[in-house]
């Protein structure tokens, strides 16, 4: 890279972090002001970032309409192929990503926090198309991992704190993440990726690009991905396959019509939910029986009270003795976009999209009988297969216009979506003998005795609109103002329940979220060369969640009695966020400081009456969802990058978050001392470091992250210990390798890479709270709560990538 290019590198990030150049981006420009103007013009900025020959990895810019870090395709490619792109965010301050597998693809365990907000409070889109809440059993979208293969992700545009008002999202309290899919290439070609790794990992990816097919520039690509790996403990595998296709038809010189399509199918055997009790007394490797020798016989014996000898001091051994736990999903997802430049000042973009999903999940429940009573009424054996089978049918459109006049860039747009979400739970009878053949959890259970346990159907109509303006009175000052309006109504109906075990569910009720004015204001000032300060403030809202009975903080996923008791106190969650920061982007040193404050109001929380074993089959294990007040978040991030020599970069950052509850919580007539206690699941302190070196075609890195203690109950009585995580990678790229002596065909890039995950073989708790948190640790409630998942031990990966 030339010295001239280095001189003009501008590397900034939303987190007020200046990242190392192996993790940073800037295009060579004549003037800094020109760069900002291009960034603020959506279409030209996208074109610049999508350049195929960029050598630098993360594009970072602080846009006038919000603080944004852009993670480009180059940094994504440094990860093990098939890795969840969200895992890359874990390198940034203020961000915590957790998963029980090294690739971050287990949809049950993936957990993301950004500045105290968990993933269902962060809006996510793909090319602007809403992906809904990125949680397990998403009710209004799909996990981004299932929407697009990681190899086809061109970049991630990440906006924290003040989520962009233009984002098609109704849950962006803590920011937005927009996945941008790569464009078909102009020249015919392809890409093949093959990865091998620990636990019999085989990841394959194949992509064909048509190149320009005619004089108008018509082009497309189609790809296939297959990822198959055994679990690192227990039995069974985690399998996923996916097809992507993208078509682009240019219209004139500056407009185009494009279409994107995704099909995916996954079948994953889940890891067993752990408790701190098990981790302390039984070690790291307890798991469900499925896939292990004598699995069904051992599960059947345990349901009869005959437990493995490895159990030590397990509080509820039956609840540690499930036969299986699985997750499946099948999706069709896509959209058509018209991206039209009407005049040199006016631009119009419209997208129409659709998505259909079926998402069955099972676990073999050993509580068919309790106290001698048949809990499901099928008159069978002691184990039954409990299946939840939600489906999604959603369709919508987005349309926006951009207009440049004088020193203003004005934008306005609308989004409408209709979503039909259906969620039912069934019981299927497993064999009544230890020597029989159990049900295949991924089968269709045809002809097996079945009982419908409960069910609800939700129908949601969502409409949002936004208006925004970025004004530049002088070249180095940008003033932004905008607002968003939200109107969303959800109706629940067709509720069913098995009256012998379940109360009457909420039925024929509606909840509406209506916010006409959600403002966003920001200021950006480059007061000296290489020096920048900014201020950002916004208000956002989270519409009411939906889920199956007793499954989340969805206020209508409860009994009718529980809903009636709180219906007059329910309000949608809102958050005001204020952020300010300073950045310096010199040649050898880049540094930054970022401070924020968030007032999170009307927080909805699920309150369980009993957390004992047997899941929803304990008759007193009922839940309410109530307004428990607010959370105040105050935090700071600081980062510095040193580039003392060509190719060598040293990065360090620290993050501190004081995120506490505003008041005590009263539940069941008992007041719990939660006021001023740190929020669950998110550490107060994080430290991250990365050392990277590049020389010609060789690249190498080693990174480390420290995560402080995390509260495991709302009063902070029990905390999950801190831990270190470290990873390393090395790769070498061969250029333009001829396949035949004639040179008629060649491999443009052949990359050989080797990665190590968890170098120190650290034993640690990854995901927390997937089954909820207890109020305190009285009588060991938190200590015995099965709501943690364990991180994977040391893993090795080797991969080969070839581009033709």
């Amino acid at each position: 890279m030339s010295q001239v290019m280095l001189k003009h590198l501008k590397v900034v990030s939303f987190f007020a972090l200046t990242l190392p150049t192996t993790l940073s981006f800037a295009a060579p420009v004549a003037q800094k002001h020109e760069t900002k103007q291009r960034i603020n013009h959506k279409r030209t900025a996208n074109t610049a970032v999508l350049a195929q020959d960029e050598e630098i990895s993360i594009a970072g810019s602080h846009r006038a309409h919000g603080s944004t870090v852009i993670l480009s395709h180059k940094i994504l490619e440094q990860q093990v192929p098939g890795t969840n792109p969200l895992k890359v965010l874990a390198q940034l301050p203020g961000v915590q990503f957790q998963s029980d597998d090294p690739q971050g693809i287990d949809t049950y365990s993936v957990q993301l926090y950004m500045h105290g907000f968990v993933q269902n409070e962060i809006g996510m889109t793909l090319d602007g198309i809403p992906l809904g809440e990125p949680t397990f059993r998403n009710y209004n979208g799909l996990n981004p991992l299932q929407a697009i293969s990681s190899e086809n992700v061109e970049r991630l545009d990440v906006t924290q704190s003040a989520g962009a008002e233009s984002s098609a999202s109704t849950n962006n309290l803590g920011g937005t993440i927009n996945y941008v899919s790569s464009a078909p290439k102009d020249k015919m070609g392809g890409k093949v990726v093959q990865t091998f790794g620990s636990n019999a990992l085989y990841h394959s990816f194949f992509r064909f690009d048509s190149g320009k097919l005619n004089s108008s520039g018509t082009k497309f690509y189609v790809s296939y991905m297959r990822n198959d790996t055994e679990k690192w403990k227990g039995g069974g595998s985690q399998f996923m396959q996916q097809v992507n296709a993208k078509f682009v038809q240019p219209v004139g010189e500056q407009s185009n019509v494009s279409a994107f399509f995704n099909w995916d199918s996954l079948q994953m055997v889940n890891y067993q939910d752990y408790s701190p009790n098990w981790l302390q007394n039984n070690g790291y490797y307890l798991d469900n029986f499925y896939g292990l020798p004598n699995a069904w016989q051992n599960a059947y014996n345990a349901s009869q009270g005959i437990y493995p000898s490895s159990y030590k001091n397990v509080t509820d051994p039956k609840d540690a003795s499930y036969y299986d736990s699985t997750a499946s999903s099948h999706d069709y997802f896509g959209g058509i976009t018209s991206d039209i430049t009407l005049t040199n000042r006016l631009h119009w973009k419209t997208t129409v999209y659709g998505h259909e999903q079926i998402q069955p999940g099972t676990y073999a429940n050993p509580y068919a009988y309790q106290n001698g009573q048949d809990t499901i009424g099928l008159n069978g054996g002691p184990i039954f297969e409990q299946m939840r089978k939600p489906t999604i049918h959603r369709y919508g459109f987005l349309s926006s216009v951009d207009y440049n006049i004088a020193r203003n860039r004005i934008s306005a747009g609308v989004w409408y979506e209709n979503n039909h979400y259906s969620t039912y739970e069934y019981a299927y009878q497993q064999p009544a003998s230890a020597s029989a053949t159990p049900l295949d959890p991924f089968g269709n259970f045809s002809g097996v005795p079945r009982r419908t346990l409960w069910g609800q159907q939700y129908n949601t109509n969502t409409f949002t609109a936004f208006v925004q303006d970025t004004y530049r009175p002088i070249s180095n000052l940008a003033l932004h103002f905008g607002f968003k309006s939200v109107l969303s109504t959800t109706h629940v109906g067709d509720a069913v329940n098995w009256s012998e075990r379940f109360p009457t569910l909420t039925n024929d009720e509606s909840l509406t979220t209506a916010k006409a004015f959600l403002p966003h204001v920001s200021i950006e000032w480059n007061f000296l060369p290489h020096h920048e300060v900014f201020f950002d403030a916004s208000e956002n809202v989270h519409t009411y969640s939906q889920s199956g009975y007793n499954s989340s903080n969805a206020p209508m996923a409860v009994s009718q009695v529980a809903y009636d008791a709180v219906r007059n106190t329910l309000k949608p969650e809102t958050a005001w966020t204020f952020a300010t920061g300073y950045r310096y982007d010199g040649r050898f040193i880049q540094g930054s400081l970022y401070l924020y404050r968030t007032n999170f109001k009307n927080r909805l929380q699920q309150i369980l009456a009993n957390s004992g074993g047997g899941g929803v089959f304990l008759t007193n294990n009922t839940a309410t969802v109530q307004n428990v007040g607010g959370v105040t978040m105050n935090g700071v991030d600081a980062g510095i990058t040193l580039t003392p020599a060509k190719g060598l970069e040293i990065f360090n950052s620290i993050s501190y978050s004081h995120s506490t509850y505003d008041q005590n919580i009263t539940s069941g007539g008992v007041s719990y001392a939660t006021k001023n206690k740190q929020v669950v699941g998110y550490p107060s302190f994080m430290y991250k470091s990365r050392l990277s070196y590049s020389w010609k075609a060789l690249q190498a890195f080693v990174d480390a992250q420290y995560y402080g203690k995390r509260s495991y109950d709302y009063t902070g009585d029990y905390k999950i210990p801190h831990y270190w995580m470290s990873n390393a990678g090395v790769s070498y790229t061969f250029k333009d390798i001829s396949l035949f002596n004639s040179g008629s065909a060649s491999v443009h890039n052949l990359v050989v890479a080797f990665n190590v995950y968890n170098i120190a073989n650290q034993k640690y708790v990854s995901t927390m709270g997937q089954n909820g948190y207890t109020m305190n640790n009285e009588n060991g409630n938190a200590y015995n709560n099965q709501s943690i998942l364990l991180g994977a031990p040391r893993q090795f990966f080797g991969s080969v990538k070839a581009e033709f």
Side-chain angles (χ1 to χ4, degrees), residues 276-339:
N277 175 310
W278 296 2
L279 185 58
Q280 178 173 329
N281 295 310
N282 298 273
Y284 208 60
Y285 289 92
L286 282 182
D287 202 43
N288 298 316
F289 294 114
Y290 181 85
L292 297 173
N294 304 314
W296 175 249
Q297 181 177 348
N298 290 335
Y300 192 92
N301 289 342
S303 71
Q304 301 295 297
I306 306 171
Y307 302 110
S309 59
S310 60
Y311 284 18
K312 299 176 182 178
N313 301 319
V314 175
T315 304
D316 187 350
K318 182 178 285 191
D319 219 31
S321 304
Y322 283 65
Y323 171 64
D324 67 46
S325 175
T326 69
S328 302
S329 182
H330 310 281
D331 294 275
Y332 294 94
F333 168 75
I336 300 175
T337 298
S338 169
D339 197 346

Side-chain angles (χ1 to χ4, degrees), residues 680-699:
V680 294
Y682 186 68
S684 297
F685 181 78
M686 291 184 283
Y687 166 76
K688 300 177 182 181
S689 180
R690 180 180 173 101
L691 173 66
S692 62
Y693 180 71
S694 61
W695 179 73
K696 295 184 178 180
L698 178 69
Q699 288 189 327

Side-chain angles (χ1 to χ4, degrees), residues 710-770:
R710 293 169 283 171
S711 293
Y712 193 51
D713 57 64
Y714 287 101
T715 59
D717 293 347
Y718 191 89
K719 296 185 183 295
I720 298 298
H722 60 81
Y723 73 94
W724 283 90
M725 172 56 59
S726 55
N727 311 281
V730 60
S731 66
Y732 191 88
T733 302
F734 300 89
K735 294 282 190 178
D736 298 324
I737 301 174
S738 296
L739 298 180
F740 307 103
N741 292 332
S742 65
S744 59
S746 66
V747 177
H748 302 310
N749 292 293
L750 179 66
V751 182
V752 180
F754 179 74
N755 291 72
V756 183
Y757 170 84
N758 193 357
I759 297 173
N761 202 27
Q762 174 76 51
K763 290 180 169 58
Y764 69 100
V765 171
S766 59
T767 310
M768 291 172 51
Q770 72 276 12

Side-chain angles (χ1 to χ4, degrees), residues 426-484:
Y426 307 99
Y428 293 87
Q429 185 59 61
Q430 284 276 13
S433 169
S435 60
T437 300
L439 299 176
D440 177 2
F442 298 112
N444 59 19
F445 299 172
S446 177
V448 180
R450 185 186 83 171
R451 178 175 297 283
T452 300
L453 302 175
W454 51 257
Q456 287 177 305
Q457 295 194 43
Y458 297 82
N459 191 74
T460 302
N461 286 289
T462 297
F463 176 82
T464 71
F466 75 91
V467 176
Q468 61 186 21
D469 179 30
T470 300
Y471 173 58
R472 292 186 175 275
I474 54 178
S475 62
N476 61 341
L477 178 65
L479 309 176
H480 174 85
F481 173 76
F483 72 91
K484 182 177 184 177

Side-chain angles (χ1 to χ4, degrees), residues 18-152:
T18 304
L19 297 171
T21 55
T22 54
L23 298 176
S24 58
F25 165 90
V29 294
Q31 294 182 359
K32 192 172 186 179
H33 175 52
E34 287 183 21
T35 305
K36 286 183 174 294
Q37 288 181 328
R38 286 200 299 270
I39 286 173
N40 284 327
H41 192 294
K42 189 180 302 182
R43 295 185 69 244
T44 53
N46 290 353
T47 303
V49 175
L50 288 175
Q52 296 298 317
D53 295 329
E54 292 294 353
E55 295 181 354
I56 305 178
S57 307
I58 292 184
S61 62
H62 180 66
R63 300 180 181 179
H65 67 271
S67 303
T68 302
V69 62
I70 302 175
L71 307 180
S72 82
H73 187 69
K74 289 294 183 181
I75 183 61
L76 298 177
E77 283 197 323
Q78 292 181 13
Q79 309 303 307
V80 176
T83 294
N84 190 333
L86 293 180
K87 194 173 186 292
V88 180
L89 294 179
Q91 299 177 21
L92 304 179
V95 178
Q96 176 185 239
F97 178 89
Q98 300 288 358
S99 180
D100 58 15
D101 72 293
Q103 290 179 286
I105 63 171
D106 185 347
T107 55
Y108 180 59
S109 71
V110 166
Q111 188 174 72
L112 177 73
Y113 279 91
M114 295 203 306
H115 285 176
F117 285 104
V118 73
Q119 64 225 32
N120 67 319
E121 298 158 348
I122 301 167
M124 295 197 187
T125 57
L126 170 61
D127 294 335
I129 301 175
L131 298 179
E133 297 193 12
T135 57
F136 185 63
R137 296 198 182 101
N138 187 319
Y139 67 87
N140 63 350
L142 75 167
N143 192 305
L145 188 74
Q146 299 166 246
I148 184 171
S149 299
S150 60
E151 288 90 347
N152 291 328

